[in-house]
Amino acid sequence: MPKNILICFLIFFAVLLQVSFFPNIVPGHFFPDLALIIILFWTIENGFEETWKWAVLAGLLVDLANFWSVGTNVFSFVFTAYVINSFAKRFLVTQTVFRFLILAAFIILGTVINGILVILAAKIANKETLDFGPLFFNADIFFKIFCNLGTFLLIYAPLMKLKKISRTLDSRLKSFA
Amino acid sequence: MASHDFLENDRERSEYQNFTFCICILNCFTMSQKFFSQKRVKLIVTLAVCGLLIFFNPKGFFTPVRWVFSRVSYPFQKTFYLLSGEIRSGADFLGSISELKNENKNLIKENDRLSFEITLLKDEKNENEKLRDQLKLAPREKFQLEASFVIGQDLQRSESWLLIDKGANAGIKTGMPVIVSDGILVGKISEVYSNTAKVILLTDSGSVINAVDVETEAKGVIQGEYGLGTIFDLVAQTDIINKDDTIATSGLGGDFPRGLLIGKVQDTRLTADKLFQQAIVLPRVKYSKLDVVFVIKN
């Protein structure tokens, strides 16, 4: 329970930072998808089974905070988490040396998948004609990759710390039970 | 010869067929069980629900949820935005000499004020006495303004908006014009919550406002271009638009007061069907730098 509350707060504040903090300080409007990065990290570390509900929550909050049609970011977050989880199982199990680099590669992949899905879903929601060219050759996604990667480098250590805290909380709860 | 010809009577044959059918069903069930693992079921159900929500897009359905979210998030959003503003100001301060910065700030303010005054003067010169009386309604002192802080924004996508810290509790209503400085139009209120309101900017793809070329009296509409800029559209072929002309609200339709400054003409062109003229209009303000805006309540 305390772990769930902790993650809820983390996602909530990540979304608010994304909407009300980064746009004001990051030049060029290419601010990081903090909520997405956290969800991807959590998926890679704990698996899709445990993370999908947080992906739904994060997507819902992003939709509400950004005035998107509800479902747009939920769809992209859940699908991206699923795909990244499938890849993580294959590539990350045996790797310990290049673990960080592989994590960074997953963040890039997740950013691309999420970027494409969000544009696609927004076009469907707004009943616009689907043009697949801009989905794959989109400068915004290119800049987002750098932005998200930079943010991931900055928050990797705090996220690892948080992971340890949540594990400690879990083990304490188990000892009480 | 069929594989089950060795069976002697019809009863045995029928039992054999039933048995093979059961085996097939069992196989299918096992395969489907493998495919529809708990993880995949969760994924498929979530994606299907989201897909339906996206496709049918029931905007009003989630309004109460947005109300609750805006109430809960409002204090945090305001704090984060003000904090980030402070950080930005600090960075700006470090990046330039403080005196020059202040001077520049004052000059920009003065420039905005003078631009608006020029707009009014040019307009007044061209209009008759009656229209000038109407124009007297435009000056800022005649407006009932509600000052509010910007607490959130998204300017890069097709929907360009700002989130302000005043809502229904402060008398804000949908459709009210939003300005900065001395009468420079920014957008209009599109959604109102208890303590917050969403402002759709002029650059939003759904924004359409009646406008006029102050110098030549050419009338048209200002439309947003997916967060990238604004277009002065639907201008008759017979009208004249020149580069650097000033574009202001025309007051037609009654949604916006006449004489609110929008921007300057950057370039002109004909529409694809060659029926109308278009002009790219450069907005007077940088939306990403807005901290305080004013809502015109009357």
Side-chain angles (χ1 to χ4, degrees):
Chain A
M1 191 65 180
K3 184 185 153 191
N4 289 349
I5 294 168
L6 183 78
I7 298 170
C8 267
F9 271 106
L10 181 74
I11 291 170
F12 178 71
F13 284 112
V15 171
L16 293 190
L17 282 172
Q18 212 171 295
V19 177
S20 293
F21 187 79
F22 291 128
N24 210 9
I25 54 168
V26 181
H29 314 310
F30 294 107
F31 39 88
D33 299 316
L34 197 57
L36 176 73
I37 296 169
I38 291 169
I39 291 299
L40 291 180
F41 177 82
W42 220 259
T43 307
I44 294 163
E45 293 296 330
N46 298 320
F48 180 77
E49 293 272 1
E50 205 182 304
T51 319
W52 78 277
K53 54 180 184 269
W54 301 122
V56 172
L57 177 74
L60 185 70
L61 291 180
V62 171
D63 285 336
L64 291 174
N66 279 308
F67 299 98
W68 287 76
S69 303
V70 171
T72 310
N73 279 286
V74 182
F75 184 92
S76 69
F77 276 30
V78 172
F79 188 80
T80 309
Y82 180 81
V83 174
I84 293 299
N85 178 59
S86 310
F87 279 109
K89 272 183 180 173
R90 283 162 182 78
F91 292 103
L92 216 58
V93 175
T94 53
Q95 285 291 343
T96 48
V97 184
F98 300 110
R99 190 180 170 79
F100 179 77
L101 288 177
I102 294 173
L103 280 175
F106 284 144
I107 295 294
I108 295 172
L109 182 67
T111 306
V112 173
I113 295 171
N114 183 65
I116 291 169
L117 283 177
V118 163
I119 297 169
L120 198 67
K123 277 183 183 287
I124 293 169
N126 295 331
K127 308 277 186 286
E128 287 174 27
T129 46
L130 293 177
D131 184 6
F132 289 97
L135 290 180
F136 299 101
F137 305 104
N138 193 328
D140 283 9
I141 294 176
F142 183 74
F143 286 114
K144 274 270 175 193
I145 288 171
F146 283 102
C147 223
N148 286 355
L149 205 57
T151 312
F152 176 69
L153 294 175
L154 286 175
I155 65 167
Y156 179 71
L159 282 175
M160 288 303 279
K161 191 88 182 161
L162 199 79
K163 191 183 141 192
K164 276 182 190 169
I165 293 169
S166 73
R167 274 190 186 162
T168 317
L169 282 172
D170 268 353
S171 59
R172 274 187 192 172
L173 276 177
K174 273 175 193 167
S175 67
F176 275 121
Chain B
M1 195 167 102
S3 61
H4 52 269
D5 277 356
F6 60 89
L7 298 172
E8 286 180 0
N9 55 38
D10 287 348
R11 191 164 164 265
E12 277 181 347
R13 201 166 287 151
S14 143
E15 274 176 5
Y16 176 79
Q17 277 173 349
N18 284 345
F19 176 71
T20 49
F21 179 71
C22 283
I23 293 289
C24 279
I25 293 285
L26 206 65
N27 273 339
C28 288
F29 183 69
T30 324
M31 277 171 68
S32 64
Q33 245 189 342
K34 267 184 189 173
F35 182 77
F36 289 107
S37 62
Q38 210 183 356
K39 197 167 86 176
R40 280 202 180 130
V41 169
K42 277 175 188 170
L43 175 79
I44 291 164
V45 169
T46 315
L47 294 187
V49 171
C50 291
L52 287 172
L53 281 175
I54 293 165
F55 191 75
F56 290 109
N57 200 5
K59 276 189 175 166
F61 187 74
F62 287 99
T63 308
V65 186
R66 282 214 161 97
W67 267 85
V68 174
F69 179 78
S70 78
R71 273 197 99 91
V72 175
S73 63
Y74 163 70
F76 300 109
Q77 282 191 286
K78 193 171 179 176
T79 312
F80 284 151
Y81 205 86
L82 292 177
L83 186 70
S84 60
E86 288 296 318
I87 293 170
R88 196 188 65 197
S89 304
D92 286 348
F93 179 77
L94 288 172
S96 62
I97 303 163
S98 61
E99 280 177 2
L100 273 177
K101 189 182 175 291
N102 285 336
E103 200 177 285
N104 193 29
K105 221 175 189 178
N106 291 335
L107 281 172
I108 289 169
K109 270 186 185 171
E110 179 80 354
N111 192 23
D112 286 345
R113 195 179 60 79
L114 289 171
S115 298
F116 182 59
E117 270 180 18
I118 290 167
T119 315
L120 287 179
L121 288 169
K122 281 177 181 171
D123 208 14
E124 278 177 359
K125 194 181 168 188
N126 292 335
E127 296 292 336
N128 59 28
E129 199 64 38
K130 196 180 172 184
L131 284 175
R132 237 182 284 156
D133 285 342
Q134 279 184 342
L135 198 66
K136 279 175 189 170
L137 294 172
R140 191 181 158 183
E141 57 266 24
K142 299 279 180 185
F143 296 141
Q144 194 190 335
L145 298 175
E146 186 71 46
S148 50
F149 280 109
V150 178
I151 59 167
Q153 55 170 279
D154 189 356
L155 314 171
Q156 70 179 108
R157 299 194 173 101
S158 60
E159 270 197 27
S160 307
W161 52 263
L162 298 174
L163 191 68
I164 58 170
D165 71 337
K166 293 280 166 64
N169 292 347
I172 306 292
K173 286 176 190 159
T174 310
M176 285 178 170
V178 179
I179 61 169
V180 287
S181 292
D182 291 320
I184 299 169
L185 186 67
V186 171
K188 66 176 177 183
I189 303 287
S190 73
E191 286 174 43
V192 183
Y193 301 96
S194 54
N195 288 318
T196 55
K198 181 184 170 188
V199 180
I200 287 288
L201 298 173
L202 294 177
T203 52
D204 183 275
S205 56
S207 166
V208 182
I209 291 159
N210 288 308
V212 63
D213 184 322
V214 176
E215 280 85 2
T216 64
E217 284 295 304
K219 286 186 174 61
V221 291
I222 282 284
Q223 288 185 321
E225 276 214 317
Y226 300 95
L228 301 170
T230 50
I231 291 276
F232 186 40
D233 203 0
L234 300 178
V235 182
Q237 286 254 26
T238 48
D239 286 343
I240 299 162
I241 340 170
N242 301 313
K243 201 183 166 192
D244 291 332
D245 277 1
T246 309
I247 305 294
T249 53
S250 66
L252 286 172
D255 292 339
F256 292 91
R258 185 186 168 87
L260 294 175
L261 182 62
I262 293 171
K264 274 192 180 297
V265 172
Q266 199 182 26
D267 197 12
T268 56
R269 65 188 180 208
L270 285 174
T271 53
D273 52 16
K274 303 208 187 307
L275 288 173
F276 295 100
Q277 292 184 83
Q278 281 182 335
I280 299 165
V281 176
L282 207 63
R284 282 291 303 158
V285 283
K286 277 190 176 177
Y287 299 128
S288 59
K289 302 273 180 188
L290 290 177
D291 290 325
V292 180
V293 291
F294 299 91
V295 183
I296 300 176
K297 286 165 77 176
N298 51 335

